[in-house]
Amino acid sequence: MSYSGITLALSKGRIFVETLPLLAAAGITPSENPESSRKLIIGTNRADVRLIIVRASDVPTYVQYGAADLGIAGKDVLNEHGGNGLYQPLDLQIARCRMMVAVREGYDYAGQVKQGARIRVATKYVNTARDHFASKGVHIDLIKLYGSMELAPLVGLSDVIVDLVSTGGTLKANDLVAVEHISDISSRLVVNQAALKLKRSLIQPVIDAFSAAVGTRVTA
Ligand code: PRT
Ligand code: MG
């Protein structure tokens, strides 16, 4: 592993698609489309920039350990990861959605909470859910899932779910309703702190170009 350029970790799907214009603003064009290619390391028009394609929830891990110098990850993923060793200079305002509590239509969420009932919560976002209900003083049993959270209340696995909502179409199709908004979610640029020092001449221009494209100023 002696690559002297910079490595950017991305997930395919919505993050890749919404990152393309930011890459273009930084003068970076991927040489392949990860949706059609099976390659996990993708070159670009620049010899000193390459992309690696990883699972969305694995992006912070690759960057934390320096296997990637930069990455793009949802705030939901970063909250679960903890963000250890990661510099988060930019909210890219892409892949936006909302972290919500949802229940089966007709389930009396407010009444259950008021009665001090113990609520069964199914989610992939266990840290987010634990913090949210702890801050409300609501006692919960947490059930960790890896996907299709919407199914859990329908088959009696849980009373509520904590999940991301964008159009609301998935909730609606499954007779679920959102009852609480936990936070707004968007994707962040994350940078390995050691890499930033060692490869600043390559990394800083990318941060600056993304920043200009997003239209916000770099913080911290
Ligand atoms: O899909 P995979 O299991 O590989 O991983 P992932 O779901 O973490 O990755 P991906 O690529 O689907 O999502 C990457 C990031 O996009 C997430 O980490 C979020 O920050 C962001 N994002 C934005 C979303 C959504 N919108 C979204 N709607 N991530 C997931 N969803 C799911 C949601 O969980 C629910 O199942 O879409 C469904 C709801 O969508 P609507 O439009 O029906 O409301
Ligand atoms: Mg997904």
Side-chain angles (χ1 to χ4, degrees), residues 25-44:
I28 300 166
T29 311
S31 49
E32 273 175 275
N33 177 355
E35 301 299 342
S36 50
S37 164
R38 287 174 185 267
K39 279 199 172 169
L40 299 174
I41 301 179
I42 294 187
T44 70

Side-chain angles (χ1 to χ4, degrees), residues 104 150-158 174-176:
R104 233 178 40 239
E150 293 88 357
L151 181 61
L154 305 180
V155 294
L157 179 63
S158 73
N174 291 290
D175 301 316
L176 301 172

Side-chain angles (χ1 to χ4, degrees), residues 14 55-56 74 76-77 95 97 124 150 163-164 166-170:
R14 67 190 104 219
R55 198 73 188 257
D76 50 318
V77 164
C97 54
K124 175 160 131 181
E150 293 88 357
D163 194 9
L164 298 173
S166 70
T167 62
T170 307

